[in-house]
Amino acid sequence: MRKTKRLAAMGLACMMAASALSACGAKGTEQTTPAATGGGEEKTTAAGGETKKDSASSDKVKITIWTDNRHDLEYMNKVVDEFNKTNDHIVLDYVVQTENYENLLSMAANSGQSPDIFSQINGDDFRNFVDNGIIQPLNDYLTDDFKKVNEVDQHLYEGCNVVGDKIYWVPCGKRSGSRIIYNKDIFDKLGLEVPKKVSDLPEIAKKITEAGAGDYYGIIFPGASGPFERWLEHSAEMSGVTLYNYKEGKFDFTGFKPYLETVRQMFQDESVFPGSASIKIDPARVQFAEGHAAIHGNASQEATVLTEQFPAKIQWGVAQLPTLDGEIKGAEACSPNTGWMMSAFTEHPKEAWEVIEYFGSENVLKGYLEGGYSLPISKYMEDKIDKSKTGRMADFAGADYEAVYPVVPSVTPDGENYRDALWNACLPEGPSIDETIAKLNQTYNDALEKEVKMGKTKRVVIKDFDPLHPSAGTVEYLDK
């Protein structure tokens, strides 16, 4: 069974910070920092990433930046390099952290070693960082030009990038909802079409597997890398199924049952690529790119993954996710991204904001979006970019059924995280599907009741909730 990695408690992080941060450097965490302007370079090691410091820039304010993004590394290196060459009072120290990102940020903050700015974090971690005073609001720094380019007032999502009237990060782009990514060579050869209904998946996957005779299989899942959230959960959303009943203000996993049954059937038919129960996302991508699986599901980051990181050796296409009855009855969640947070501990907030403003400027975003590293979230930038330059990212754009969902209450249930539990129930040797769902309904609602009473979270209720327009309703936050 998969186990969930959870954010370390802030108190524990504080106690462990000194030893953990010094030890991380020896683990070879992936990083990069562009060359600074002129002078000799001195290599140092800090917080899990090797960095470069320019001795000739000591008269400039150094702004340290952390990110967990590596798909945009080539472009961001150029952006940072250009900034360092042209800015007369700031030098950037840009570090990529690819392991235990949120934990490292927590420990760095508690030990006085926090970077000045860092790429946005989401979900429960965002609320933890707000509650523990690790990040600071950006309201007082926002300029009219920055607001215009990124349409700030139109992208305020409670519990995602804002809390109340405080804005903690601004999305300058978005990641699409998921799609079916399929091997066109195999589908064309066998005269198949991507199914519109979830219930048709087992038959198509079985036909492909039988035709592949061990060379290729019908479908692949990254079992060790959140397979449920990569596309099955999004297909459910498009069918009007969500894990949280917004109208009643409680968790309800009942609607996921057909999905669990479908995936379990494909495993039983041996139509799933061998090892999918425990394979990680990158190995799964490689197998698809090499033509050993016909169906793969994920979001718009696959555009650059399959063209740059693991260039596909096959012709691949992108199609809408299947739904329960072939009709779209709910919005598919998309994710605001490409945002930057400012540390509450930075000694140079003015300069830190200048960097965030630069990263979110029209010029930098134009190259970023045209490079296919994200999709535009503002109409302003959508009109400014040359869409012919975005490459395969265009295949993921333009879905009018996508929306940002209100953030559900953050709770810590007894037992498994729901995504782990649902995936485990998909496996042939897994627990009973009905029992899994019943247990999740019990543990999550028990946790919700308990934590609302304790004041740790609030019950989210949207009496006029519309699954096709999830962010349009009136949100109530109840303490009972």
Side-chain angles (χ1 to χ4, degrees), residues 392-403:
R392 297 305 300 268
M393 184 64 80
D395 294 337
F396 295 84
D400 58 6
Y401 53 80
E402 292 182 340

Side-chain angles (χ1 to χ4, degrees), residues 104-362:
L104 280 175
L105 284 169
S106 297
M107 291 188 290
N110 281 288
S111 64
Q113 300 180 55
S114 175
D116 298 281
I117 65 175
F118 43 91
S119 58
Q120 99 275 347
I121 54 175
N122 301 299
D124 294 347
D125 295 325
F126 168 68
R127 176 65 74 168
N128 285 338
F129 275 43
V130 172
D131 292 345
N132 286 279
I134 293 176
I135 51 179
Q136 62 175 289
L138 301 177
N139 301 57
D140 293 341
Y141 301 101
L142 296 169
T143 62
D144 290 341
D145 189 60
F146 187 88
K147 288 182 177 181
K148 177 185 71 174
V149 170
N150 297 289
E151 297 173 356
V152 174
D153 293 337
Q154 297 178 40
H155 300 288
L156 304 177
Y157 306 110
E158 179 68 29
C160 176
N161 69 320
V162 305
V163 174
D165 59 357
K166 296 180 179 179
I167 303 171
Y168 287 91
W169 66 275
V170 174
C172 300
K174 70 177 182 179
R175 187 178 74 177
S176 78
S178 292
R179 307 285 190 269
I180 287 293
I181 304 164
Y182 65 100
N183 185 317
K184 292 186 68 175
D185 296 333
I186 293 176
F187 271 76
D188 291 347
K189 176 183 176 181
L190 300 180
L192 300 174
E193 294 184 357
V194 177
K196 298 291 186 182
K197 296 182 180 180
V198 171
S199 58
D200 292 334
L201 274 170
E203 181 181 356
I204 288 178
K206 188 173 183 178
K207 286 182 178 179
I208 293 171
T209 302
E210 290 174 348
D215 185 37
Y216 54 80
Y217 293 79
I219 194 166
I220 192 166
F221 294 99
S225 303
F228 208 83
E229 65 182 300
R230 290 191 179 273
W231 70 271
L232 294 167
E233 192 170 345
H234 293 288
S235 174
E237 291 165 348
M238 292 170 63
S239 301
V241 175
T242 56
L243 64 102
Y244 187 79
N245 185 322
Y246 288 95
K247 289 186 176 181
E248 297 184 13
K250 66 179 184 180
F251 290 94
D252 186 359
F253 299 90
T254 308
F256 290 111
K257 181 177 179 178
Y259 289 89
L260 310 187
E261 293 174 334
T262 297
V263 177
R264 180 173 284 196
Q265 182 63 55
M266 289 190 286
F267 270 107
Q268 290 172 340
D269 291 342
E270 298 183 342
S271 301
V272 182
F273 183 85
S276 286
S278 58
I279 194 172
K280 293 185 177 181
I281 180 59
D282 279 353
R285 287 164 164 163
V286 169
Q287 293 300 329
F288 176 80
E290 292 184 349
H292 299 309
I295 298 174
H296 165 54
N298 215 340
S300 53
Q301 67 267 25
E302 302 305 274
T304 49
V305 166
L306 295 174
T307 54
E308 296 180 14
Q309 188 177 358
F310 306 118
K313 299 177 181 177
I314 47 94
Q315 296 295 314
W316 55 278
V318 177
Q320 176 185 301
L321 293 177
T323 61
L324 290 177
D325 62 4
E327 301 294 325
I328 298 177
K329 297 182 176 180
E332 182 185 3
C334 61
S335 305
N337 65 10
T338 317
W340 298 91
M341 295 178 165
M342 188 187 299
S343 169
F345 307 105
T346 179
E347 297 179 357
H348 307 286
K350 180 181 177 181
E351 290 81 4
W353 166 252
E354 186 174 337
V355 177
I356 294 176
E357 186 175 33
Y358 175 72
F359 285 171
S361 65
E362 179 179 332

Side-chain angles (χ1 to χ4, degrees), residues 35-52:
T37 53
E41 291 179 346
E42 175 187 355
K43 286 192 176 183
T44 63
T45 301
E50 186 182 74
T51 67
K52 296 178 183 178

